[in-house]
Structure formats: C-alpha cells, structure tokens
Amino acid sequence: MTAVREAHAGVLAGTVGHPRKRRPRYALIGSKAAYLYVAPFFVVFAIFGLYPLLYTGWISLHDVSLLNINKMTWVGFHNYTSLWTNHFFLNALTNTITIGIISAVPQLLMALGIAHLLNYRMKGSIAFRIAMLMPYATSVVATTLIFGELYSRDFGFVNWFLHFFGVEPINWVNAPKWQSQLAVASIVIWRWTGYNALIYLAGMQAIPHELYEAAAIDGANRWQQFRKITIPSLRPTILFTVVVSTIGSMQMFAEPYLFGSGTNGGGNGQYQTLTLYLYQQGWQYNHLGFAAAVAWTMLVVCLVLVIINAMLTNARGRRG
Amino acid sequence: MATLEQTIRTVPRRRRRSSAAGRQLTAGPFTYIVLILVTVISVFPLYYTMVIGSHTNSEMAKSPPPFSVNTSLFDNMREALKQQPLFRDILNSIFVSGMITLGTVAFCTLSGFAFAKLRFRGNKILFGLTLGTTLIPPQLGVIPLYMYMAKLGWIHHLQAVILPNLVSAFGVFFMRQYLVNAMPTELLEAGWVDGASTFRIFRTIVLPIARPAMAVLAMLTFLFAWNDFFWPLLVLNSHNATVQVGLAGLGQGYIPQQNIIMAGTMLCTFPLLVVFVVLGKQIVGGIMQGAVKG
C-alpha cells in the first residue's frame, strides 16, 4: 500500500517537477549482466504478484473450500452471477465508495492547504513536517486501536468533547451509517493528510518562482496566484494522489476490521468494506472460490473508479 | 581503484534545484497558528495513548477524563505482555522487517543501477513494466498466494511473510532516479576502461555513491514492513505473530481493557516512532525526493 503510494508519487509528480528533464546517459558497458541485475525483481513479481493475480481468475470459476484447498469444483460463472444479487456485496461496494469519498476529499483538500502554508519560509519547518508525518509512521493497527478508544461511547474523548455542544453520547462503533462511516474515515484522514501534504509540498517547490513573480507584476493577489498557478501546476500531482487514494480505499481493511472488532463492519454492516467482505467470505466462511470472484470484481471496479476519478480531476483542473 | 575513489569525491554533486527558497514569502502568524493546530491534532492521539495506557480503567472513567500521564504504565504493560507475548512479536517483526529491508535494498539498488546506467536491450520497456506493476493492488492475489503457502506448509511461518515482499517497484524506481543524477557516467566508463567487471564497478564505484539513497530506502522499507497487516494476518496467527498481528489480537481479546490495549500499543509503536523522529529529517527528505525527482 505504502509502496504503491510512493511509487506513484514519483511517477506522476515527476512529470511536473523538471521541465528540463535530462535523458539518462547510459554507460558504454552494455552487458548481459544487466539482465541478471534486474532479474530478481521480475522473478519475485512473477511468482508472488502476477501469477497469483491471474490464478485468482481461474479460482473464481470454481468452488474451493479453505479447509480443502486441493479440491476445486468447476462452477463456471456462478460465483459472479450470485455476486450481483448479493445484498452484502452490494452493501460493501457502496460502503467502500462512500467511505472512500468522505475520507479522500477532506484529506486531499486539507493537505493542499497545509502544503501551501508549509511552503512559506518559517522557523521550525522541519519540525512541523516530522510531526505531521508521525501519523504516517504509526501503524494502521495502532491507529485504529487508538481511535477506537477516542471514539468509545462511555469514556471516549470524542464524546466528552462533543458534550460541550450538547451532543448526547454516540455509540460510534454501532451508530447509524453516516456517523460510523465518518468515524472510520477520520482514521484514514488522520493517517494520510500529513503525508499527502508533503507530496504536494514537493510538487509546489518544483514550480518555477518566475511564474509567481510575473503574476505579481500583473497584479494577481495571493489567492489568484494559488488558483491560477499553484493548482494547475500541481495537476499531475493531484491526479496522482486522487488515483492512489482510490486504490487505497479499495483496499481498506484494518480500519473497519478493528474498529468494529469483527468482519461484519458494525452491527448492520454500516462500514463493511469490500476487502473486509473478501476476508470474511474466504477466511471465516471458507468460500475461497467466491472470495476470488470478489477479488476480480474489485479489480474491475478499481480500474473503473480510477478512470472516472482521473477524468473528473482533469476536467476540474481545466476549468479551475 | 584508489584513483577512482578519489575521483568520486572530487566530482561535484549536482546541486539540487533551489526551488523557491530564498525568495519565498515569509510565514505570518496565521500560518503558524494553523500549522501548530495541525501538529497538535497529529500528535494528540499518540499522547492520549500514553494517558490511557498509564491509568487504571476506573481512573479513566472519571469526568472530566484525565489529561496527564500517570503511574500505572508499567503495570499495564506487564498485563498486556501476559495476554499477548508482544516482545516475541516485536522480535519476529524485527527479523521479518530486517530481512525484507535487506532484500529490497540489495535487489533494488542492483536493478536501479542497471536501469539508470547500463545499456541493454529492453531497458526502457522493462522499467516501464516495473512501474506498471504498482498499479495492481497486491491484495487481490492473496487467495492463490495463500494456497501456495499452504501447499508448501509455510502457513504460520515467517518466511510466508518475507518472501513475497523481497522486492519493491518503488525501490527500483527510487534507486534509479537517484543514480541517474548522482552517478557520473564518466566514472563508470573509467572503471570499464580499467577492465573492471560490471559487478566490481557496482561494488567499488556505485555502492559508495548510492549509500545515502539506500539508507532512505531502507528506512521507508522497514517502516512499511513493520506496519504491514493484511497479509501477515492471513498467514500467521497469535502463536507466531508479527507485531501488528499480535497487537490486533490484544485489541480483540474477550474482555477488551482499554488501558491494557493502549499500554500494548505503546510497546509496539513508540520505539519505532522515536527512531522515526530521530531520523525524521532524512525520511521527510526521502519522501519528498521520491515525489519530485524525475
């Protein structure tokens, strides 16, 4: 997950930073040894990445039990047809999308604002950056356990804080959908906002300063500069963070799993996500074949969402 | 080779673009206030972990709840260790994350070097493929992977966690980007003229130059491996767990006791956070470098 985020940060953000990109100059040593050097990556990826992914498709056409993995019974597309009428699957699908939206949108907007502020010259800028990156260094398990305590109904900090505003104690773990999803989303927001802010900051620092000077001469105020220069220049970086957040929310597992302590995602499945559902089907109900169908459907859904979000981001960027 | 190493030192480092620094606008009070607020929000949950972990449950039930650190911390930690052998889990995690880090840094430096500096057929295509692999969410292959491990009899064994994580596309990308700029091609050619083998050149010329980037990659990889949860949860159980699996087990005990869970969370999280803060400057730099260097 982390690795994916970072890899993309480089790929896409790289296109913004350096207009004078140097073509790599290779050494003359064109040697067969090069294949040996790049081989480990491809061997490990083929065995542990590509092959499992493809084989998941084959398994999804079978009935396989976790208790007897050697016996595969052909069922054709039965697993897929039953998916689309399955209430729990559809619930998990919509939950994944709504939690994804309410965690990614505020997170990225705040990160953009924070990055803008971090870009000023100031005292202690390194200290701020390190502090904001501490949530990223905290594991998702620890984070969720901590937030579980903050959100606990009787003695939790959040309810204590809210009582000043006359709010009755909320049982967040089992609250109505929007409340408990908000709580789950806040875990994601806390962990990733600082990280995304740093990614944006890196992008901002690569914007040539002359652009701002020219705009200032033309009489553009700071807000106009932010909208007309910063945002458009950052578009590849923003696109990247949107894509990565989309992939990230498709994979959300630990937060709903540990927040509601179980694979149901709340008493009524208020925040059961797709990965949680996959885990429940495969490792609690032992339906590996069905879980494989869930996995492949997720791959398709993920691709569709990535494309939609990328298009939306691009369109907004142009208008803005 | 001695001459070569001297050359390395005298070759000027390419200066990083000075970005907007120098002519940057200076922050006003508003900026400081907002950033301090963000810092407080970032750190407060961690501080509150310490508050809960150092009180008894009845103390936490008071209103208003306590905000200072108390004395029951070690009792709570001892109780947490009784419920789940977290020290063994921590040792397991040090081993697992250490192996993953070693493998990743070694393999990624090698292939990063090849992609950055060696001319061979398919260089660009293979590098593109490497980047493309990051688009595939790794979780979607867990079912056959699990069946693999089961057939090998590796379920509940640490190698099931280590082996699939020995390389990372991000690492290859990161090392390549660094070496493209930091490694003067002339130096490699000089070594080649001297008749050194590619691997010898790698050892004596590339490694010293790659070291700073390798250190950053090592830190990021270790952090990632330490915090990984989904796959370890599938293949391990609480009798031979990594730290995250053990911690999750503690959190899901039959009678969840918040102070004990939080004391355990501190045990598993705070040592790494201390290291993180100490090395923070390099890690921040590494993440930002990974984001822009192209």
Side-chain angles (χ1 to χ4, degrees):
Chain A
M1 173 64 237
T2 323
V4 174
R5 275 182 189 254
E6 279 154 7
H8 283 278
V11 183
L12 287 160
T15 56
V16 62
H18 295 252
R20 310 170 290 138
K21 209 161 92 176
R22 279 204 327 171
R23 292 175 64 79
R25 236 193 98 196
Y26 301 125
L28 281 175
I29 28 183
S31 83
K32 295 243 160 39
Y35 295 105
L36 211 59
Y37 297 164
V38 300
F41 175 82
F42 289 100
V43 171
V44 174
F45 176 74
I47 299 175
F48 296 108
L50 187 64
Y51 172 74
L53 189 78
L54 298 177
Y55 198 48
T56 301
W58 181 243
I59 294 171
S60 71
L61 304 175
H62 293 79
D63 235 352
V64 193
S65 165
L66 181 70
L67 307 174
N68 184 9
I69 54 167
N70 292 314
K71 187 166 162 278
M72 290 173 59
T73 319
W74 175 264
V75 293
F77 285 94
H78 177 257
N79 285 329
Y80 289 95
T81 47
S82 65
L83 256 189
W84 289 101
T85 50
N86 184 318
H87 165 74
F88 295 102
F89 171 77
L90 295 175
N91 174 55
L93 179 63
T94 45
N95 285 348
T96 305
I97 293 172
T98 50
I99 297 177
I101 292 171
I102 59 178
S103 59
V105 173
Q107 179 197 141
L108 297 180
L109 287 178
M110 286 192 299
L112 206 54
I114 293 168
H116 181 70
L117 296 182
L118 281 173
N119 203 17
Y120 288 125
R121 193 174 50 204
M122 69 180 80
K123 287 201 178 73
S125 64
I126 289 289
F128 280 130
R129 290 175 203 183
I130 295 174
M132 283 171 204
L133 211 53
M134 278 176 78
Y136 164 82
T138 311
S139 78
V140 59
V141 172
T143 309
T144 309
L145 292 178
I146 294 168
F147 274 70
E149 302 301 348
L150 293 177
Y151 279 113
S152 107
R153 185 190 59 191
D154 297 321
F155 312 116
F157 178 82
V158 175
N159 277 345
W160 175 77
F161 183 77
L162 287 176
H163 98 274
F164 290 112
F165 304 94
V167 179
E168 290 291 308
I170 297 170
N171 184 11
W172 294 96
V173 172
N174 222 341
K177 207 167 211 180
W178 68 270
Q179 281 175 336
S180 46
Q181 289 199 355
L182 214 58
V184 172
S186 70
I187 302 171
V188 183
I189 294 173
W190 183 76
R191 260 194 97 216
W192 288 106
T193 302
Y195 174 82
N196 280 310
L198 283 190
I199 299 290
Y200 286 147
L201 177 63
M204 285 178 186
Q205 292 187 341
I207 301 172
H209 200 260
E210 295 77 33
L211 285 179
Y212 291 101
E213 280 169 0
I217 291 167
D218 288 345
N221 64 30
R222 282 198 192 178
W223 172 242
Q224 284 168 327
Q225 290 179 16
F226 182 72
R227 270 193 47 207
K228 300 288 181 191
I229 299 174
T230 310
I231 299 290
S233 313
L234 277 185
R235 203 196 301 155
T237 315
I238 294 174
L239 179 67
F240 149 70
T241 52
V242 168
V243 167
V244 166
S245 300
T246 311
I247 298 177
S249 32
M250 284 304 289
Q251 303 191 64
M252 191 186 298
F253 171 75
E255 295 93 338
Y257 176 61
L258 293 169
F259 192 69
S261 24
T263 52
N264 285 325
N268 300 314
Q270 298 99 310
Y271 44 92
Q272 187 179 48
T273 55
L274 282 173
T275 309
L276 196 56
Y277 184 66
L278 182 154
Y279 176 74
Q280 183 184 44
Q281 290 301 318
W283 277 268
Q284 284 202 318
Y285 302 158
N286 305 330
H287 301 316
L288 282 185
F290 186 72
V294 174
W296 257 49
T297 312
M298 282 171 71
L299 184 64
V300 174
V301 172
C302 188
L303 283 176
V304 170
L305 287 178
V306 164
I307 291 168
I308 292 176
N309 283 343
M311 280 175 9
L312 280 178
T313 313
N314 255 333
R316 285 205 74 83
R318 262 190 218 106
R319 255 184 283 134
Chain B
M1 278 298 126
T3 47
L4 274 182
E5 272 157 30
Q6 277 162 9
T7 336
I8 294 170
R9 276 184 222 110
T10 51
V11 168
R13 272 283 165 75
R14 277 170 57 80
R15 270 186 55 206
R16 301 252 321 267
R17 281 166 60 84
S18 57
S19 74
R23 286 170 297 178
Q24 248 171 329
L25 294 165
T26 309
F30 169 78
T31 304
Y32 281 106
I33 291 170
V34 175
L35 289 181
I36 287 170
L37 197 69
V38 176
T39 303
V40 169
I41 295 172
S42 298
V43 177
F44 176 76
L46 298 170
Y47 174 74
Y48 207 64
T49 306
M50 211 149 61
V51 174
I52 300 178
S54 62
H55 283 82
T56 63
N57 265 344
S58 53
E59 284 164 346
M60 282 313 296
K62 282 185 192 134
S63 181
F67 277 99
S68 57
V69 176
N70 205 351
T71 50
S72 311
L73 180 61
F74 291 105
D75 289 338
N76 290 342
M77 283 187 174
R78 220 170 290 134
E79 184 56 36
L81 287 170
K82 224 184 276 170
Q83 294 187 14
Q84 172 71 27
L86 291 171
F87 278 138
R88 186 210 53 199
D89 300 345
I90 288 174
L91 285 180
N92 275 347
S93 266
I94 290 176
F95 176 70
V96 167
S97 312
M99 295 304 280
I100 291 174
T101 305
L102 274 180
T104 303
V105 171
F107 291 143
C108 293
T109 309
L110 262 177
S111 52
F113 161 59
F115 282 131
K117 291 295 170 187
L118 297 186
R119 179 177 292 156
F120 60 99
R121 194 188 277 269
N123 182 323
K124 288 210 174 113
I125 295 170
L126 289 176
F127 185 62
L129 271 180
T130 308
L131 295 182
T133 61
T134 61
L135 280 173
I136 302 167
Q139 296 193 353
L140 302 186
V142 292
I143 294 157
L145 209 49
Y146 182 90
M147 291 162 72
Y148 252 1
M149 298 300 175
K151 279 176 188 161
L152 289 167
W154 286 0
I155 300 292
H156 307 325
H157 292 283
L158 296 179
Q159 64 263 38
V161 180
I162 296 172
L163 282 173
N165 286 307
L166 278 182
V167 295
S168 98
F170 164 71
V172 175
F173 170 80
F174 186 81
M175 292 312 300
R176 178 196 175 267
Q177 297 313 88
Y178 182 82
L179 287 173
V180 160
N181 287 325
M183 177 81 239
T185 306
E186 299 76 23
L187 220 52
L188 298 171
E189 283 164 350
W192 189 64
V193 171
D194 279 1
S197 70
T198 326
F199 190 68
R200 172 135 192 212
I201 290 174
F202 175 76
R203 256 185 24 228
T204 51
I205 308 177
V206 179
L207 274 188
I209 287 185
R211 208 170 282 147
M214 289 166 76
V216 172
L217 179 62
M219 289 186 282
L220 293 175
T221 308
F222 194 90
L223 194 66
F224 162 75
W226 184 273
N227 289 344
D228 195 15
F229 178 57
F230 186 61
W231 177 244
L233 177 74
L234 292 183
V235 288
L236 300 177
N237 62 11
S238 57
H239 298 297
N240 190 27
T242 56
V243 67
Q244 306 304 335
V245 176
L247 190 56
L250 182 69
Q252 294 188 311
Y254 285 108
I255 317 154
Q257 292 164 284
Q258 46 173 338
N259 54 345
I260 291 169
I261 297 173
M262 287 300 99
T265 305
M266 282 180 68
L267 269 177
C268 300
T269 309
F270 281 33
L272 193 71
L273 279 179
V274 170
V275 176
F276 176 83
V277 170
V278 172
L279 302 173
K281 203 173 165 181
Q282 283 77 10
I283 296 178
V284 167
I287 287 174
M288 290 181 59
Q289 220 172 47
V292 191
K293 274 209 166 178

